[in-house]
Amino acid sequence: MNPLTWIVTAASSWIVVLGLNELAVSAAVAVLAQLIAMVRLRNFSVLAATIALSIPVGLSMVVIHVPFGRNDWSTALELSVRFIALMSAFLTAASAIAVSELVKPLSHMPRVAYIVGSAVQLLPQGRDTLASVRYANHLRALSTHEHNTRGPLKTVEFVVLPLITRLLSAGAARAIPLEVSGLERTGRRTVLNPVKDTGVEKALRWLMPIVALVVVVWL
């Protein structure tokens, strides 16, 4: 399925969950999203990630609403299930999307495609850069975790500053390839191997948000 269809499906489910704000609807969306993820991935990775994110949120709901709220456990339960539904829909869509497939459908808007691709890849790039900076410090026999007053200063000097410098340098280095590839030029963009996108999916991407809004307003 086209990655844009996954995104619109998740967004439409958010509209329904937040708009109706019903426990049964939230539970149904959560269960459906988890079933789709399990069938696609044939594992419980999305379920495990959802549980890991939901446990602290659920505990915070209990701490906030049970001692001081009027509905006690029911309010905490409804808010927790709603959060689980939202995360289930988001994580299921995210698990089905590859960065390359997400950027290709946006090729007719090259600047938007570049911004989306860069934003999605920022976290893994930062993680890899941080690992290389720490390895460089290890080769220099430099510890940034010493328990003294210079510990935080050494962390800033030998980890934070090199990390920021390398990320900024990498961003500047991409300017020339982007200029060569014609990012600033006008005209239609094409890709050699476009992501599959059927007419039915295009129609669904318009209909799903409209139907979600209609359901929320009608009910």
Side-chain angles (χ1 to χ4, degrees), residues 23-35:
L23 179 61
V25 174
S26 299
V29 170
V31 171
L32 181 60
Q34 292 296 336
L35 287 176

PDB file of all heavy atoms in Angstrom, residues 23-35:
ATOM      1  N   LEU A  23     -14.881   5.095  24.824  1.00  0.00           N
ATOM      2  CA  LEU A  23     -14.009   4.001  25.231  1.00  0.00           C
ATOM      3  C   LEU A  23     -14.078   2.842  24.246  1.00  0.00           C
ATOM      4  O   LEU A  23     -13.042   2.276  23.867  1.00  0.00           O
ATOM      5  CB  LEU A  23     -14.393   3.526  26.636  1.00  0.00           C
ATOM      6  CG  LEU A  23     -13.579   2.347  27.200  1.00  0.00           C
ATOM      7  CD1 LEU A  23     -12.112   2.712  27.303  1.00  0.00           C
ATOM      8  CD2 LEU A  23     -14.137   1.939  28.560  1.00  0.00           C
ATOM      9  N   ALA A  24     -15.276   2.485  23.813  1.00  0.00           N
ATOM     10  CA  ALA A  24     -15.444   1.353  22.896  1.00  0.00           C
ATOM     11  C   ALA A  24     -14.773   1.625  21.554  1.00  0.00           C
ATOM     12  O   ALA A  24     -14.149   0.733  20.968  1.00  0.00           O
ATOM     13  CB  ALA A  24     -16.923   1.051  22.701  1.00  0.00           C
ATOM     14  N   VAL A  25     -14.903   2.854  21.053  1.00  0.00           N
ATOM     15  CA  VAL A  25     -14.292   3.220  19.768  1.00  0.00           C
ATOM     16  C   VAL A  25     -12.768   3.175  19.882  1.00  0.00           C
ATOM     17  O   VAL A  25     -12.083   2.638  19.003  1.00  0.00           O
ATOM     18  CB  VAL A  25     -14.761   4.619  19.321  1.00  0.00           C
ATOM     19  CG1 VAL A  25     -14.017   5.064  18.071  1.00  0.00           C
ATOM     20  CG2 VAL A  25     -16.254   4.615  19.066  1.00  0.00           C
ATOM     21  N   SER A  26     -12.235   3.731  20.953  1.00  0.00           N
ATOM     22  CA  SER A  26     -10.782   3.714  21.156  1.00  0.00           C
ATOM     23  C   SER A  26     -10.257   2.286  21.235  1.00  0.00           C
ATOM     24  O   SER A  26      -9.232   1.954  20.625  1.00  0.00           O
ATOM     25  CB  SER A  26     -10.422   4.483  22.433  1.00  0.00           C
ATOM     26  OG  SER A  26     -10.817   5.829  22.349  1.00  0.00           O
ATOM     27  N   ALA A  27     -10.961   1.435  21.978  1.00  0.00           N
ATOM     28  CA  ALA A  27     -10.540   0.037  22.114  1.00  0.00           C
ATOM     29  C   ALA A  27     -10.589  -0.681  20.767  1.00  0.00           C
ATOM     30  O   ALA A  27      -9.684  -1.453  20.429  1.00  0.00           O
ATOM     31  CB  ALA A  27     -11.420  -0.671  23.135  1.00  0.00           C
ATOM     32  N   ALA A  28     -11.644  -0.416  19.992  1.00  0.00           N
ATOM     33  CA  ALA A  28     -11.783  -1.061  18.685  1.00  0.00           C
ATOM     34  C   ALA A  28     -10.658  -0.646  17.741  1.00  0.00           C
ATOM     35  O   ALA A  28     -10.090  -1.482  17.030  1.00  0.00           O
ATOM     36  CB  ALA A  28     -13.146  -0.720  18.083  1.00  0.00           C
ATOM     37  N   VAL A  29     -10.327   0.641  17.726  1.00  0.00           N
ATOM     38  CA  VAL A  29      -9.239   1.128  16.870  1.00  0.00           C
ATOM     39  C   VAL A  29      -7.908   0.521  17.296  1.00  0.00           C
ATOM     40  O   VAL A  29      -7.096   0.104  16.457  1.00  0.00           O
ATOM     41  CB  VAL A  29      -9.173   2.671  16.913  1.00  0.00           C
ATOM     42  CG1 VAL A  29      -7.912   3.178  16.229  1.00  0.00           C
ATOM     43  CG2 VAL A  29     -10.406   3.266  16.248  1.00  0.00           C
ATOM     44  N   ALA A  30      -7.673   0.444  18.596  1.00  0.00           N
ATOM     45  CA  ALA A  30      -6.418  -0.128  19.097  1.00  0.00           C
ATOM     46  C   ALA A  30      -6.291  -1.593  18.700  1.00  0.00           C
ATOM     47  O   ALA A  30      -5.234  -2.027  18.211  1.00  0.00           O
ATOM     48  CB  ALA A  30      -6.356   0.031  20.613  1.00  0.00           C
ATOM     49  N   VAL A  31      -7.346  -2.361  18.899  1.00  0.00           N
ATOM     50  CA  VAL A  31      -7.308  -3.791  18.566  1.00  0.00           C
ATOM     51  C   VAL A  31      -7.117  -3.987  17.061  1.00  0.00           C
ATOM     52  O   VAL A  31      -6.301  -4.824  16.627  1.00  0.00           O
ATOM     53  CB  VAL A  31      -8.602  -4.480  19.041  1.00  0.00           C
ATOM     54  CG1 VAL A  31      -8.678  -5.914  18.506  1.00  0.00           C
ATOM     55  CG2 VAL A  31      -8.674  -4.482  20.564  1.00  0.00           C
ATOM     56  N   LEU A  32      -7.849  -3.227  16.254  1.00  0.00           N
ATOM     57  CA  LEU A  32      -7.743  -3.356  14.800  1.00  0.00           C
ATOM     58  C   LEU A  32      -6.341  -3.008  14.316  1.00  0.00           C
ATOM     59  O   LEU A  32      -5.764  -3.727  13.478  1.00  0.00           O
ATOM     60  CB  LEU A  32      -8.776  -2.451  14.122  1.00  0.00           C
ATOM     61  CG  LEU A  32      -8.803  -2.492  12.590  1.00  0.00           C
ATOM     62  CD1 LEU A  32      -9.112  -3.901  12.097  1.00  0.00           C
ATOM     63  CD2 LEU A  32      -9.833  -1.493  12.049  1.00  0.00           C
ATOM     64  N   ALA A  33      -5.774  -1.928  14.838  1.00  0.00           N
ATOM     65  CA  ALA A  33      -4.428  -1.521  14.432  1.00  0.00           C
ATOM     66  C   ALA A  33      -3.392  -2.572  14.818  1.00  0.00           C
ATOM     67  O   ALA A  33      -2.494  -2.903  14.035  1.00  0.00           O
ATOM     68  CB  ALA A  33      -4.080  -0.178  15.063  1.00  0.00           C
ATOM     69  N   GLN A  34      -3.514  -3.129  16.012  1.00  0.00           N
ATOM     70  CA  GLN A  34      -2.565  -4.150  16.453  1.00  0.00           C
ATOM     71  C   GLN A  34      -2.699  -5.427  15.621  1.00  0.00           C
ATOM     72  O   GLN A  34      -1.684  -6.070  15.295  1.00  0.00           O
ATOM     73  CB  GLN A  34      -2.782  -4.467  17.934  1.00  0.00           C
ATOM     74  CG  GLN A  34      -2.418  -3.339  18.882  1.00  0.00           C
ATOM     75  CD  GLN A  34      -0.940  -2.993  18.843  1.00  0.00           C
ATOM     76  OE1 GLN A  34      -0.105  -3.816  18.485  1.00  0.00           O
ATOM     77  NE2 GLN A  34      -0.614  -1.772  19.225  1.00  0.00           N
ATOM     78  N   LEU A  35      -3.913  -5.806  15.257  1.00  0.00           N
ATOM     79  CA  LEU A  35      -4.102  -6.983  14.418  1.00  0.00           C
ATOM     80  C   LEU A  35      -3.467  -6.782  13.044  1.00  0.00           C
ATOM     81  O   LEU A  35      -2.820  -7.698  12.505  1.00  0.00           O
ATOM     82  CB  LEU A  35      -5.597  -7.286  14.272  1.00  0.00           C
ATOM     83  CG  LEU A  35      -6.300  -7.863  15.503  1.00  0.00           C
ATOM     84  CD1 LEU A  35      -7.788  -8.006  15.240  1.00  0.00           C
ATOM     85  CD2 LEU A  35      -5.698  -9.210  15.876  1.00  0.00           C
TER      86      LEU A  35
END
